[in-house]
Amino acid sequence: MIKFQEVSKQYYSDLALDRISFSIEKGDFVFLVGPTGSGKTTIFRLIIRDLLPTEGEIHIGDINVLKLPGNKIRQLRRNVGVIFQDLKLLHDRTVGENVMLPLQFSGVSESDAKSRAEEVLTSVGLGDAFGKFPQQLSGGERQRVAIARALVFDPEVILADEPTGNLDLDTSMQILDLLDKINKTGTTIFMATHNDRIIDTTKKRVIVLEKGKLKEDRKKKGSGDAHHAVETHPEKKQAEHKEKVEEKKAREDGKITLDELVKKEE
């Protein structure tokens, strides 16, 4: 699903990433950890092609991100939802309007965008928050709004950049449980975090960065297979998820899967 091969990124005189290689399979939940400035956000920006690497190759599914034409980047980003570290919520818009914005920018009608926003807000436990403003919510609730917005296109991958960074432990665990629930529908989760206490409570794979280098790749505890979680996802849930995506195809105004995006380039 996500593959970095000898990827480096140079910012003028600073080497942000130094020959990073790793792969994440479809349906995995992987933590990305490291101190501030270690390269976590740079990796996320490379995945959505907000940046280009100085060296190396990046693949999302069968897509070579470097070779993807500019007019296909929008389709790639519909399939990779991002939960931003600073949330990027507009405080002069309601919760519902914040969640609707990506859909409306993509040409989805207001009524369909509202329906989808209500659906995803309900799925993250905020069904009654549509008409509220972000400043009326707690920190954990605002984080759930950001998660809902990342889900509007039913992406195949979620990038979560420090989603628990400003939350207490109990609220952080609630957000982690929500991301776990999303992961169990078949969505790949790649989560950057500083929170060692969260990591220690799970048995998930951990990729560790230090000064732009891959310091460690800790496999899932209790399993010799880093991608064991993919094999244990129930086939029924995978099929239900696929049906859900198909049902929303008309509303999502031309969204195509990563596999379909590759076929269009062949």
Side-chain angles (χ1 to χ4, degrees):
M1 173 56 70
I2 301 173
K3 183 176 181 180
F4 275 51
Q5 187 171 354
E6 294 290 308
V7 173
S8 296
K9 178 60 183 178
Q10 184 99 24
Y11 292 110
Y12 300 103
S13 60
D14 296 328
L15 187 60
L17 294 177
D18 186 6
R19 292 180 295 176
I20 296 287
S21 295
F22 64 85
S23 61
I24 297 172
E25 297 297 325
K26 182 175 176 60
D28 274 0
F29 192 134
V30 180
F31 288 114
L32 179 65
V33 305
T36 300
S38 60
K40 302 188 298 297
T41 299
T42 297
I43 284 178
F44 283 180
R45 291 181 67 190
L46 288 167
I47 289 172
I48 62 172
R49 225 182 90 158
D50 191 36
L51 295 173
L52 289 173
T54 307
E55 295 179 355
E57 290 194 357
I58 301 169
H59 288 82
I60 311 297
D62 291 328
I63 298 170
N64 185 328
V65 174
L66 278 70
K67 296 181 180 179
L68 189 67
N71 62 355
K72 301 296 182 184
I73 295 174
R74 179 174 161 185
Q75 292 288 356
L76 170 68
R77 292 175 181 171
R78 285 190 178 195
N79 283 286
V80 182
V82 182
I83 303 167
F84 296 98
Q85 185 173 0
D86 59 358
L87 302 185
K88 298 191 183 300
L89 298 179
L90 301 178
H91 291 280
D92 62 341
R93 303 287 184 97
T94 66
V95 165
E97 289 169 340
N98 269 278
V99 176
M100 289 169 62
L101 277 176
L103 294 163
Q104 291 178 305
F105 285 151
S106 297
V108 177
S109 70
E110 183 174 354
S111 60
D112 284 348
K114 182 179 180 181
S115 175
R116 177 58 175 158
E118 289 172 340
E119 182 181 354
V120 293
L121 282 168
T122 298
S123 76
V124 301
L126 291 177
D128 61 349
F130 190 94
K132 294 181 180 180
F133 287 88
Q135 58 267 35
Q136 295 178 279
L137 306 180
S138 68
E141 288 171 331
R142 286 195 292 270
Q143 190 60 257
R144 287 173 182 266
V145 175
I147 293 171
R149 185 181 55 198
L151 290 172
V152 291
F153 287 116
D154 230 357
E156 297 176 48
V157 179
I158 289 284
L159 305 179
D161 194 358
E162 300 281 359
T164 62
N166 298 315
L167 305 176
D168 60 55
L169 182 60
D170 287 344
T171 306
S172 295
M173 293 307 300
Q174 292 172 18
I175 295 300
L176 183 62
D177 287 344
L178 176 57
L179 291 173
D180 239 343
K181 178 182 175 182
I182 294 166
N183 175 241
K184 287 175 181 176
T185 69
T187 304
T188 304
I189 306 286
F190 196 16
M191 174 176 163
T193 184
H194 281 99
N195 197 327
D196 291 334
R197 295 179 71 181
I198 284 182
I199 295 169
D200 290 343
T201 64
T202 73
K203 296 181 179 181
K204 302 185 187 305
R205 181 181 170 197
V206 181
I207 294 174
V208 184
L209 297 178
E210 186 175 282
K211 296 180 179 179
K213 294 186 177 183
L214 182 59
K215 179 182 179 182
E216 188 178 359
D217 189 347
R218 300 202 297 265
K219 309 302 181 184
K220 288 185 62 181
K221 296 177 183 177
S223 171
D225 183 356
H227 310 307
H228 181 66
V230 179
E231 298 173 3
T232 58
H233 280 189
E235 291 183 4
K236 182 179 178 181
K237 286 188 176 181
Q238 294 280 11
E240 289 174 348
H241 178 68
K242 184 177 180 180
E243 287 179 10
K244 186 178 179 183
V245 172
E246 290 298 322
E247 288 171 0
K248 293 170 183 172
K249 186 176 281 187
R251 180 180 62 239
E252 293 179 354
D253 189 33
K255 178 196 169 190
I256 58 176
T257 66
L258 293 173
D259 287 342
E260 289 169 339
L261 187 55
V262 172
K263 290 176 182 177
K264 282 180 175 285
E265 292 305 303
E266 292 178 346

